[in-house]
Amino acid sequence: MIDRDEVLHVARLARLSLSDEEVARMSGELSHVLEHVERIGELDLEGVAPTSHVVALENVLREDEPRPSIDRDRALAPAPDHSAGGFRVPSPGA
Amino acid sequence: MADPSTTADRAADPAAGHLGGPAPGDEPAERRLEPVIGLEIHVQLATRTKMFCACALSFGEEPNTRTCPVCLGHPGTLPVPNARAVHFGLMIGMALECEIALRSIFHRKNYFYPDLPKGYQISQYDTPLCAGGRLRDVRIHRVHLEEDAAKLVHEGASGRIHGAAGSVVDFNRGGTPLVEIVTEPDLRSAADAADWLRLLRVTLRQLGVSDVNMDEGSLRCDANVSLRPAGTSDLGVKTELKNMNSFRFLERGVDAEIARQEELLRAGRAVVQETLHFDPTTGSLSPLRSKEEAHDYRYLPEPDLVPLAPTPAMLRAAREALPELPAARSERFSTELGLPVDTARMLAFSAELGDFFEASVAASGDRAGADPRELANWVVGELKSSLGDADPTSSRVRPDALAELAGMVARHEISRAAGRQVLEIVAAEGGAPAAIVEARGLARAGEGELAGVVGRAVAENADAVEKVRAGKTKAMGAIVGAVMRETKGRADGEEVRRMIEERIRA
């Protein structure tokens, strides 16, 4: 069971601000998700190796060859604010 | 970045106890406290491109000119690991005698900060690339691959985070390949920690996997520090000192933290687990404002990347790329060439000096010349002081010239003092030592020439002669000095001494 405090903690980590109503709803929904996942625990998985990926591939690597970066104006264009060639953000310390 | 499986966090286990007031049966509080230090080192790899995209690495370019949708964290993009970064990671693991994981995966380390566009850093968690190694007497806990964060510049005059209205993010550095090396808490003093970090630095440099420049941040070191009663094995509560960006700061910072913790514990108070910033100008330590709840990283397997399972070919390539490493070279210098341990380390831990030394040993070769011990003394003594901070390859003194010069001194053709003069001349003007000796008349004063000089010196220093006769052998120095002055250092000190003794006893 995901209680209210846990929902608020996770919301804080995700920088989400939830209303009381949303907290209550999330508490129920997240609990359901976990319960569903817990059902997998009922399976007998003795001898089955943990899987981190659904595709049976390994070592998909890229040669260390540079390719052109994108134009700075294009990089900055979607940013809400920019200054001196950089992405301007509210100071994290403020 | 720290991860929950590091030694540091085990050290923080509250059950490890606090070292405050004496409990019944405890040793007295005056008991010596032993520092326990572990290091976490971040190494920027000297690849051409970033860890997960093909943007070239940045060396002071204009901000945000080395970015792409991948390293800017745009939705829908996919990371692809850099093969050379993996290769370098394997080389580091092998050089540190680690076990290479047959299969390792990447994880997302989640936290919100403007230097991290995706909201997570791709790192490794419970299956690092390498684990369980050793360098000298320090055990390596793990070595893993990850990506560097972007650079934040805080607006305002101070450039400090506090009071800044806004910050500007430069993503050129974001995504640079990093290797994180975590040691076990095996270091016992600040000086030892700095010494070990020097060894690690030359080792990485010799591997050619990084610029290892602490000023420029390509080698960064955090230290975990705790104290415990000497002779016990439990770990005390530790603090983490961030970003010690020079060997000197590391040493001073750790020393300051040891002193601070000792004072707390002696007063019966507890050390609080926290992250500290060392201010090298004031020597003070202050808690860093934490990236809020940053310890709750909610690691999850990176679904965008498949596992790394180094193939025999990848392992062989990494092993074949390993050069002789400083620790092994130092060992070889002392066991095979008979150098004292300190000299061997000095030469082996500076790749350039070590190369120069070996080239001069080779040049000395079969000619009757100076033996390796003498050559080593010339290299770490006279040559090193004439170089200052310069690289020996930039010096006019070539290894064969040094071998020739040291050989002439060893064969008593010139005095050591004259040898020093010749070295200075070669360093300043270039040229062959033998020719310089010839042209400047620096050949050793022969016995015939010396006989007259010694006779005069004995006659003119009657006082000193009396003292020597009375057993005050120190007085000999004045007479030797007189001979040296007159021969302008060309005489061999031992020979002069012997001739003076003979003359006085006669």
mmCIF file of all heavy atoms in Angstrom, chain B residues 176-192:
data_model
loop_
_atom_site.group_PDB
_atom_site.id
_atom_site.type_symbol
_atom_site.label_atom_id
_atom_site.label_comp_id
_atom_site.label_asym_id
_atom_site.label_seq_id
_atom_site.Cartn_x
_atom_site.Cartn_y
_atom_site.Cartn_z
ATOM 1 N N THR B 176 30.224 13.824 -21.527
ATOM 2 C CA THR B 176 31.621 13.389 -21.643
ATOM 3 C C THR B 176 31.783 12.045 -20.921
ATOM 4 O O THR B 176 31.258 11.869 -19.821
ATOM 5 C CB THR B 176 32.553 14.441 -20.995
ATOM 6 O OG1 THR B 176 32.415 15.660 -21.725
ATOM 7 C CG2 THR B 176 34.010 13.999 -21.008
ATOM 8 N N PRO B 177 32.509 11.088 -21.512
ATOM 9 C CA PRO B 177 32.656 9.787 -20.841
ATOM 10 C C PRO B 177 33.448 9.916 -19.540
ATOM 11 O O PRO B 177 34.490 10.585 -19.506
ATOM 12 C CB PRO B 177 33.456 8.939 -21.843
ATOM 13 C CG PRO B 177 33.434 9.670 -23.119
ATOM 14 C CD PRO B 177 33.203 11.113 -22.813
ATOM 15 N N LEU B 178 32.932 9.302 -18.500
ATOM 16 C CA LEU B 178 33.615 9.301 -17.210
ATOM 17 C C LEU B 178 33.795 7.863 -16.751
ATOM 18 O O LEU B 178 32.938 7.022 -16.974
ATOM 19 C CB LEU B 178 32.760 9.981 -16.134
ATOM 20 C CG LEU B 178 32.591 11.480 -16.090
ATOM 21 C CD1 LEU B 178 31.754 11.836 -14.856
ATOM 22 C CD2 LEU B 178 33.928 12.186 -16.029
ATOM 23 N N VAL B 179 34.909 7.653 -16.078
ATOM 24 C CA VAL B 179 35.054 6.422 -15.314
ATOM 25 C C VAL B 179 35.096 6.827 -13.856
ATOM 26 O O VAL B 179 35.793 7.778 -13.495
ATOM 27 C CB VAL B 179 36.324 5.648 -15.731
ATOM 28 C CG1 VAL B 179 36.842 4.790 -14.586
ATOM 29 C CG2 VAL B 179 36.025 4.750 -16.935
ATOM 30 N N GLU B 180 34.291 6.172 -13.037
ATOM 31 C CA GLU B 180 34.362 6.428 -11.611
ATOM 32 C C GLU B 180 35.085 5.267 -10.942
ATOM 33 O O GLU B 180 34.750 4.104 -11.173
ATOM 34 C CB GLU B 180 32.956 6.585 -11.005
ATOM 35 C CG GLU B 180 33.023 6.821 -9.495
ATOM 36 C CD GLU B 180 31.660 7.037 -8.837
ATOM 37 O OE1 GLU B 180 30.857 7.806 -9.373
ATOM 38 O OE2 GLU B 180 31.425 6.415 -7.781
ATOM 39 N N ILE B 181 36.077 5.620 -10.141
ATOM 40 C CA ILE B 181 36.863 4.613 -9.425
ATOM 41 C C ILE B 181 36.610 4.822 -7.931
ATOM 42 O O ILE B 181 36.777 5.935 -7.423
ATOM 43 C CB ILE B 181 38.368 4.777 -9.721
ATOM 44 C CG1 ILE B 181 38.636 4.606 -11.219
ATOM 45 C CG2 ILE B 181 39.200 3.781 -8.897
ATOM 46 C CD1 ILE B 181 40.028 5.053 -11.644
ATOM 47 N N VAL B 182 36.169 3.783 -7.259
ATOM 48 C CA VAL B 182 35.894 3.892 -5.823
ATOM 49 C C VAL B 182 36.841 2.951 -5.077
ATOM 50 O O VAL B 182 36.920 1.768 -5.408
ATOM 51 C CB VAL B 182 34.431 3.503 -5.509
ATOM 52 C CG1 VAL B 182 34.135 3.671 -4.025
ATOM 53 C CG2 VAL B 182 33.459 4.340 -6.343
ATOM 54 N N THR B 183 37.545 3.482 -4.100
ATOM 55 C CA THR B 183 38.456 2.621 -3.335
ATOM 56 C C THR B 183 37.754 2.093 -2.094
ATOM 57 O O THR B 183 36.715 2.611 -1.676
ATOM 58 C CB THR B 183 39.709 3.366 -2.850
ATOM 59 O OG1 THR B 183 39.370 4.200 -1.727
ATOM 60 C CG2 THR B 183 40.324 4.219 -3.956
ATOM 61 N N GLU B 184 38.316 1.075 -1.515
ATOM 62 C CA GLU B 184 37.904 0.675 -0.170
ATOM 63 C C GLU B 184 38.542 1.668 0.802
ATOM 64 O O GLU B 184 39.514 2.348 0.448
ATOM 65 C CB GLU B 184 38.394 -0.754 0.125
ATOM 66 C CG GLU B 184 37.813 -1.831 -0.780
ATOM 67 C CD GLU B 184 36.336 -2.119 -0.529
ATOM 68 O OE1 GLU B 184 35.764 -1.595 0.456
ATOM 69 O OE2 GLU B 184 35.739 -2.861 -1.328
ATOM 70 N N PRO B 185 38.027 1.749 2.033
ATOM 71 C CA PRO B 185 38.582 2.740 2.976
ATOM 72 C C PRO B 185 39.916 2.265 3.557
ATOM 73 O O PRO B 185 40.026 1.989 4.740
ATOM 74 C CB PRO B 185 37.493 2.839 4.049
ATOM 75 C CG PRO B 185 36.789 1.528 4.001
ATOM 76 C CD PRO B 185 36.869 1.038 2.583
ATOM 77 N N ASP B 186 40.940 2.211 2.715
ATOM 78 C CA ASP B 186 42.211 1.608 3.109
ATOM 79 C C ASP B 186 43.306 2.623 3.399
ATOM 80 O O ASP B 186 44.429 2.240 3.716
ATOM 81 C CB ASP B 186 42.698 0.654 2.002
ATOM 82 C CG ASP B 186 41.873 -0.627 1.946
ATOM 83 O OD1 ASP B 186 41.088 -0.856 2.890
ATOM 84 O OD2 ASP B 186 42.011 -1.382 0.972
ATOM 85 N N LEU B 187 43.011 3.900 3.258
ATOM 86 C CA LEU B 187 44.045 4.910 3.480
ATOM 87 C C LEU B 187 43.953 5.411 4.919
ATOM 88 O O LEU B 187 42.869 5.468 5.494
ATOM 89 C CB LEU B 187 43.884 6.049 2.471
ATOM 90 C CG LEU B 187 44.150 5.603 1.026
ATOM 91 C CD1 LEU B 187 43.394 6.454 0.029
ATOM 92 C CD2 LEU B 187 45.647 5.617 0.746
ATOM 93 N N ARG B 188 45.108 5.745 5.490
ATOM 94 C CA ARG B 188 45.141 6.058 6.921
ATOM 95 C C ARG B 188 45.645 7.455 7.246
ATOM 96 O O ARG B 188 45.751 7.820 8.401
ATOM 97 C CB ARG B 188 46.008 5.028 7.666
ATOM 98 C CG ARG B 188 45.425 3.617 7.673
ATOM 99 C CD ARG B 188 44.169 3.525 8.527
ATOM 100 N NE ARG B 188 43.530 2.209 8.410
ATOM 101 C CZ ARG B 188 42.570 1.951 7.530
ATOM 102 N NH1 ARG B 188 42.128 2.898 6.714
ATOM 103 N NH2 ARG B 188 42.029 0.758 7.471
ATOM 104 N N SER B 189 46.015 8.245 6.236
ATOM 105 C CA SER B 189 46.392 9.634 6.511
ATOM 106 C C SER B 189 46.184 10.454 5.247
ATOM 107 O O SER B 189 46.097 9.910 4.141
ATOM 108 C CB SER B 189 47.856 9.725 6.951
ATOM 109 O OG SER B 189 48.706 9.533 5.841
ATOM 110 N N ALA B 190 46.113 11.767 5.447
ATOM 111 C CA ALA B 190 45.910 12.667 4.309
ATOM 112 C C ALA B 190 47.089 12.568 3.348
ATOM 113 O O ALA B 190 46.907 12.550 2.129
ATOM 114 C CB ALA B 190 45.740 14.098 4.814
ATOM 115 N N ALA B 191 48.296 12.501 3.915
ATOM 116 C CA ALA B 191 49.487 12.447 3.059
ATOM 117 C C ALA B 191 49.480 11.154 2.239
ATOM 118 O O ALA B 191 49.822 11.155 1.052
ATOM 119 C CB ALA B 191 50.746 12.528 3.913
ATOM 120 N N ASP B 192 49.062 10.076 2.873
ATOM 121 C CA ASP B 192 48.998 8.795 2.197
ATOM 122 C C ASP B 192 47.968 8.836 1.060
ATOM 123 O O ASP B 192 48.193 8.303 -0.030
ATOM 124 C CB ASP B 192 48.612 7.723 3.241
ATOM 125 C CG ASP B 192 48.942 6.323 2.760
ATOM 126 O OD1 ASP B 192 49.799 6.197 1.867
ATOM 127 O OD2 ASP B 192 48.345 5.373 3.287
#
